[in-house]
Amino acid sequence: MRKIKNCSVTLSCPKRSTMVQAKTWILKKHFDGFPKDSDFELKVEQLPEPKDGEVLLEAVFLSVDPYMRPFSRVRMKEGEVMIGTQVAKVIQSKNTAFPVGSHVVSRCGWRTHSVSDGTDLIPIMPDWPQDVSLSLALGTIGMPGLTALYGIEEVLGLQKGETLLVNAAAGAVGSVVGQIAKIKGCKVVGSAGSDSKVAFLKELGFDEAFNYKTVGSLEEALKKASPEGYDCFFENVGGPFSAVALQQMKNFGRIAVCGAISTYNDTTPQTGPYPHLTMIFKQLKMEGFMQSRWEHKHPESLKRLMGWLKE
């Protein structure tokens, strides 16, 4: 998450329209391997005066999420503004639904200012607590939190007393997954990539946590954390980790596939091993998902997430 500094707004005399320059980050070149500075270009564009029904937005927070790497390849052309969600403040309005000074969540991408007709805007909940940063509308009380909630409830159907494994557990999604699972009375095992992240998971209440980069054997680490195996697996990583984890599932185990972050920077696709026999013998259920499937539940789900946060 990055905080956006206030950008200058050039105002003409009162009788003329407001002129705003927007700074935009352009995807200059599709990523080849790990993203590089040279893949981006900062440009400036002049925005038109908002028309009736439109609003002028100023970014407060921008999201920087792993999904942007694979999504940019399939949903973007070189030269377009980098995709992403932002928390923005309405600084000029000709739309009564979005008064000046209000805040919204917008899919405007990486840009300081935007003009919107309101159809793509989600108002910040009216009773948002003063002591909770609006940045969490892009995190725990936003898309990552919703992903965690729906993965647990809609895909896994996690039940009290079950054991859940989550990788990339210190990330925006994984850290919420673990906390919701604990609220539901489950044992939670988390994997992360540094000792400081493992310490963070312990602070969050994870029952077991380990650094997958320093354990001698991932298989042994998973067995040690839960000798009886795993009822559910919240999958964020993919690649070799997934292949080992599937072997540790209990019969009739469920896997929610949220991400495959270990593959996002690959220049050539990974191949095998193939899990089919394991899935057949253990009768596993594996389902990929995105939180947008349950968009009709978002308002109530966000209230639940905020309630847990305040508790």
Side-chain angles (χ1 to χ4, degrees), residues 12 61 92 101 145 204 209 231 244 271 279:
S12 60
F61 295 97
Q92 189 177 350
L204 294 182
D231 300 283
V244 176
T271 57
M279 294 187 69

Side-chain angles (χ1 to χ4, degrees), residues 70 84 101 131 133 182 201 219 232 253 263 275 277 283 292 294 297 303 309:
D131 59 344
S133 172
K182 289 306 299 178
L201 296 180
E219 181 179 5
C232 292
T263 68
L277 284 179
Q283 301 186 68
S292 54
W294 298 278
K297 291 189 175 184
K303 288 180 181 178
L309 181 75

